[in-house]
Amino acid sequence: MRTDHGAAPLAWNRVHRYRQRVLDIERGLDSLPDSAGSVLPRGFGHSYGDSCLNAGNTLLDTRGLNRVLSFDPHTGVLHCEAGVTIGEVQRHATPHGWRLAVSPSTGLASVAGCVAHDAHGRNHPRAGSFGHHLLEIELLRGDGPHRCGPDTDAPLFRATIGGLGLTGLITTVTLQLRRVQSSFLQVETHPHTDLPGLLDHLDTTAGRAEHATAWLDMTDRQKFRGLLELGDEGPGERSLPPQGPRPRVPFDLPRWCVNRPAAQAFNRTWFRLGARKQPGPVDYRTYLYQMDSLGDWNRLLGRRGFYQYHFLLPAAAVRTGLPRLLDAVRRSDNLVVLAILKRYGPATAPGMMSFPFHGLGGAFDFVNRGGRTLRLFHELDALLAELGGRVYLAKDSALDPDTFRLMYPQWTAFSEFVDPRFSSSLWRRVTGEHR
């Protein structure tokens, strides 16, 4: 086990820069390593906020736990270590006619990270969240190894799904994959010039297309532009050609380049290109992991980074609540460079602290303008709480303890399963704890 003293891993939004001790976790560990203060597992650091950071304390780096331990091509059951990436699971299983039932928007996240944040995809109404397809979790707590599943220590299992890495160090995960016929999806894109029409179209996709995402142009205060992208399993080959090296952003874009005219030009171009797209097959890598095609894309928003505001409104509050939220964003002196909406189905959440419930959610990427951006987030948080909504803790950077308790009243029951050795910057912030 190697110790890296004084390391400062960044969150994916590149805003949070904390001094932390990092321990590389190796296989065969049967007890937690000695450390001063609290510990927190961390994979590839693709959480946008501070849920994967532990300021002034210790991170347990799980990227070395990267083996697929077994895979049954007849049943689609895969057993792997915590640090295996989503992309590696897909590459391993797809040639045999299997794929993850639920995938986040990046193939670079770890399997354990998807468990800890109960990741969801564009197909939540059909497939639920990541936790719905878990068969077993092995984790290491302060009192030793534990194994849990739907029928084995079920309370700990439910607490660990969406448990933000606070119930212990996940070491291995067993997943049920879904059967697929090919590596391609049939994709179509529909332009919209008014919000009610886009929402109507999004509602009618239920039962027709499995995957659905709406993109909004939030840079124009006068004119509405939106694209609805639908994807469904389609015909095609199972095998795909190997991917070449990805282009990468080699430096932080200068601050003067990150401005409203540049964002407007990008969004208008994106709308024109999307409106011209013809329906057709797209391989799952291109469709599910669009942002992965450009490495270190987060550097495009400058050294100061960005914030993502990822929210969810109950189904009954969408038609009245969403326009209020969008108006608050447009009235503020803040810049949204990318905004998406997606539907969430009525499935019962598999984890105690799971984010999804029945409704409509959005993820907006804001240029970091310091206090003015965080003040807007507090305004949006209050509006969400009034409407019965919540923010996604994997992406949050601003939630205060009072609003957190309104959005996640189950936190007190969950806290009974938090291992005393574990904590995070997010957990201390939203609970008001100081360890």
Side-chain angles (χ1 to χ4, degrees), residues 268-351:
R268 287 169 183 164
T269 301
W270 190 265
F271 179 77
R272 286 197 297 269
L273 293 175
R276 296 171 184 169
K277 281 185 179 178
Q278 297 299 312
V282 178
D283 74 85
Y284 80 87
R285 298 178 305 197
T286 302
Y287 180 72
L288 294 178
Y289 310 128
Q290 295 175 11
M291 304 302 286
D292 290 351
S293 61
L294 180 62
D296 297 328
W297 64 262
N298 52 348
R299 304 186 74 177
L300 291 173
L301 295 176
R303 190 178 186 279
R304 291 188 64 191
F306 68 103
Y307 290 105
Q308 184 174 104
Y309 193 78
H310 195 139
F311 64 92
L312 177 54
L313 286 165
V318 170
R319 295 293 176 145
T320 57
L322 183 60
R324 291 175 61 190
L325 190 145
L326 298 182
D327 286 344
V329 172
R330 291 192 175 104
R331 281 188 280 104
S332 74
D333 185 20
N334 282 283
L335 178 58
V336 179
V337 293
L338 182 66
I340 65 166
L341 300 174
K342 56 188 172 186
R343 295 172 58 251
Y344 293 79
T348 301

Side-chain angles (χ1 to χ4, degrees), residues 66-71 78-81 84-85 88-89 92:
N66 55 10
R67 295 180 302 176
V68 174
L69 301 173
S70 66
F71 173 64
L78 182 140
H79 181 49
C80 67
E81 293 179 327
V84 172
T85 67
E88 181 58 30
V89 172
H92 194 92

